[in-house]
Amino acid sequence: MTSIGTGYDLSASTYSPDGRIFQVEYASKAVENSGTCLGFRCKDGVVLAVEKLVQSKLLVPGSNKRIATADNHIGIATAGLLADTRHLVNRAREEAQSYRDLYRAPIPAKMIADRVGQYVQAFTLYSSVRPFGVSTILATVDKTGPQMYMIEPSGIYYGFYGCAIGKGRQVAKTEIEKLKLTEMTCEQVVMDAARIIHSIHDDVKDKDFELEMSWIRDGPNPKHEFVPKDLHEAAAAAAKASLHEDMDED
């Protein structure tokens, strides 16, 4: 039994005869067309890195960031539709603030992932709405230590030590699997994150990109913030040098 071209992809509330929801699958395709986004959970924190594709040379550098802060201890990196990204970031901020107002404490990692995941999943239930065309990586530190979750357009979420989303996810996953993340510090991971992003970017096929990197480090008062400029520049320079060395060897 086939469901291709038979109208089962017209609504997110309709299953195909073989049990698929095509609108959710199409939303995942929107994520795959976006720049690559990486997350690393290491021994002293979580590092996020994004290959933000620059749509026009006329854009102001640093605009339309793919990494945002939902609360002091929560960082969000996304791949997919930018407008959907902003909506989900605002929702995460509302959930974090609501929990803080009610319990006078920062929201735990699994709870913020669960609440955002349920919100995303609700948009796959009704014909009057469409699924979010974005996958989200949540980085946070709670009482149990550094935590990282990835939320898919279907609303399902997983906890990861290392994950990749976007067009270069397969190659990136292979590179991430080579790292011993539980033994590495945030500074060490930043260098590898920059190297992986630069190595998977195709200068011929892809548009120019900006490298965005942030981290949240374990400690008494964990705070999500962008990687310091000097370390960011050093990591980018080392990544470019490594790329040129590989090209020379070839």
Side-chain angles (χ1 to χ4, degrees):
M1 182 180 293
T2 180
S3 52
I4 297 176
T6 54
Y8 292 101
D9 59 350
L10 298 178
S11 171
S13 63
T14 304
Y15 281 96
S16 70
D18 50 356
R20 297 162 66 183
I21 302 177
F22 283 102
Q23 284 293 320
V24 175
E25 295 182 19
Y26 296 163
S28 298
K29 287 293 183 182
V31 175
E32 293 174 9
N33 292 333
S34 178
T36 308
C37 178
L38 310 178
F40 307 82
R41 175 182 165 187
C42 45
K43 69 178 183 180
D44 63 342
V46 182
V47 175
L48 300 174
V50 176
E51 172 202 21
K52 187 185 76 175
L53 299 178
V54 179
Q55 303 299 326
S56 171
K57 294 181 179 179
L58 299 177
L59 283 174
V60 176
S63 60
N64 298 330
K65 291 186 180 297
R66 287 280 180 175
I67 296 179
T69 299
D71 199 352
N72 288 338
H73 69 301
I74 301 172
I76 296 178
T78 61
L81 303 179
L82 186 58
D84 289 9
T85 291
R86 289 171 175 161
H87 185 89
L88 278 186
V89 169
N90 286 335
R91 179 67 184 194
R93 287 170 178 166
E94 292 172 3
E95 293 289 357
Q97 187 62 49
S98 173
Y99 187 94
R100 191 179 287 271
D101 290 343
L102 187 61
Y103 297 103
R104 297 291 185 262
I107 188 169
K110 193 173 188 304
M111 185 168 291
I112 185 65
D114 186 65
R115 289 189 178 187
V116 175
Q118 288 186 32
Y119 184 74
V120 171
Q121 193 264 342
F123 279 72
T124 69
L125 300 176
Y126 309 103
S127 59
S128 58
V129 296
R130 66 163 175 79
F132 287 100
V134 60
S135 284
T136 305
I137 299 177
L138 285 172
T140 181
V141 173
D142 59 15
K143 294 179 180 179
T144 61
Q147 302 288 331
M148 184 175 69
Y149 291 89
M150 191 266 284
I151 305 171
E152 296 181 350
S154 63
I156 193 170
Y157 63 92
Y158 303 94
F160 282 98
Y161 279 100
C163 66
I165 51 180
K167 62 171 59 179
R169 68 193 184 287
Q170 295 294 350
V171 178
K173 284 179 182 177
T174 302
E175 292 295 320
I176 293 174
E177 288 171 357
K178 298 177 183 178
L179 304 176
K180 297 181 179 179
L181 292 172
T182 55
E183 301 175 7
M184 300 175 69
T185 63
C186 286
E187 286 86 352
Q188 294 171 324
V189 169
V190 164
M191 305 301 287
D192 281 304
R195 175 184 58 81
I196 293 172
I197 289 288
H198 277 274
S199 66
I200 62 179
H201 181 79
D202 191 334
D203 292 329
V204 177
K205 296 181 181 179
D206 297 335
K207 299 178 181 178
D208 293 337
F209 77 99
E210 292 179 9
L211 174 62
E212 293 184 8
M213 291 192 292
S214 71
W215 62 21
I216 177 168
R217 311 186 70 176
D218 198 5
N221 296 299
K223 183 179 180 181
H224 176 252
E225 55 192 358
F226 282 94
V227 171
K229 186 176 179 181
D230 55 347
L231 180 58
H232 185 288
E233 292 176 349
K240 293 176 183 177
S242 176
L243 193 60
H244 289 313
E245 289 177 5
D246 294 339
M247 293 176 64
D248 292 339
E249 290 178 1
D250 293 339

